Amino acid sequence: IRDCGDDTCIDLYVHFPLNATMIDKEEERVALRELGSDLRTGLDQLADLDRGDVEVIVEGHADHSQVVHTGDPRAAFLYNWNLSAQRASSVVYEFRIIGLHVPEYKVVAIGYADSQPICLELNDACEQLNRRTTLRLRIDTRSLETRLKRR
């Protein structure tokens, strides 16, 4: 868990093999489902907030490499954006299985491609660290403020 601006971020150490979007390890799927269940329980117990005031954002990331076997520069550019969004969606899918999903909860998946690396060196170990997901919890302060003014 770490601060990231006004939000709270939890780095999910679900790392993906090169060009992969599936969560292959059963223990990672189980851990994600346990985390999702804990989040759902916590959101259901919020006293001063509606659970709709908290947005669960799953961010997917990729390394800097792109598919080189395409002759289409647009497809090459979009590859990491789509890959990172699919990684985030894989985590959201695990949350969905345990009941943490839209419309009951605000859950979104966002792909950041290689725009937010945590390691800048150009080697395999560093690239593996960059192929990851992050969980961000964000309070919708406008919604909360509007609702509290009505009370």
Side-chain angles (χ1 to χ4, degrees), residues 4-17:
C4 48
D6 291 335
D7 303 331
T8 297
C9 287
I10 302 168
D11 288 319
L12 303 175
Y13 292 101
V14 177
H15 292 90
F16 297 86

Side-chain angles (χ1 to χ4, degrees), residues 15-80:
H15 292 90
F16 297 86
L18 183 65
N19 298 324
T21 62
M22 297 293 294
I23 301 168
D24 292 333
K25 296 180 182 176
E26 180 65 22
E27 62 270 15
E28 288 184 340
R29 285 193 302 272
V30 168
L32 283 172
R33 290 176 189 170
E34 289 173 359
L35 172 63
S37 183
D38 290 345
L39 280 171
R40 190 186 72 215
T41 299
L43 290 170
D44 289 345
Q45 295 176 2
L46 291 174
D48 294 334
L49 300 171
D50 282 340
R51 62 181 166 199
D53 292 333
V54 179
E55 189 172 35
V56 178
I57 304 165
V58 180
E59 303 170 336
H61 303 273
D63 61 27
H64 82 285
S65 63
Q66 296 177 340
V67 173
V68 293
H69 62 273
T70 180
D72 180 1
R74 180 179 182 278
F77 173 78
L78 293 176
Y79 185 80
N80 275 348

Side-chain angles (χ1 to χ4, degrees), residues 49-130:
L49 300 171
D50 282 340
R51 62 181 166 199
D53 292 333
V54 179
E55 189 172 35
V56 178
I57 304 165
V58 180
E59 303 170 336
H61 303 273
D63 61 27
H64 82 285
S65 63
Q66 296 177 340
V67 173
V68 293
H69 62 273
T70 180
D72 180 1
R74 180 179 182 278
F77 173 78
L78 293 176
Y79 185 80
N80 275 348
W81 290 99
N82 293 326
L83 182 68
S84 61
Q86 290 173 1
R87 288 176 175 162
S89 297
S90 289
V91 172
V92 170
Y93 177 77
E94 297 302 323
F95 288 167
R96 179 175 177 68
I97 289 172
I98 55 86
L100 181 64
H101 57 80
V102 174
E104 292 84 10
Y105 303 87
K106 283 187 178 178
V107 182
V108 297
I110 299 173
Y112 283 103
D114 59 340
S115 67
Q116 297 181 356
I118 57 173
C119 186
L120 299 175
E121 298 172 30
L122 297 177
N123 59 49
D124 286 341
C126 194
E127 297 293 12
Q128 287 177 11
L129 291 174
N130 289 331

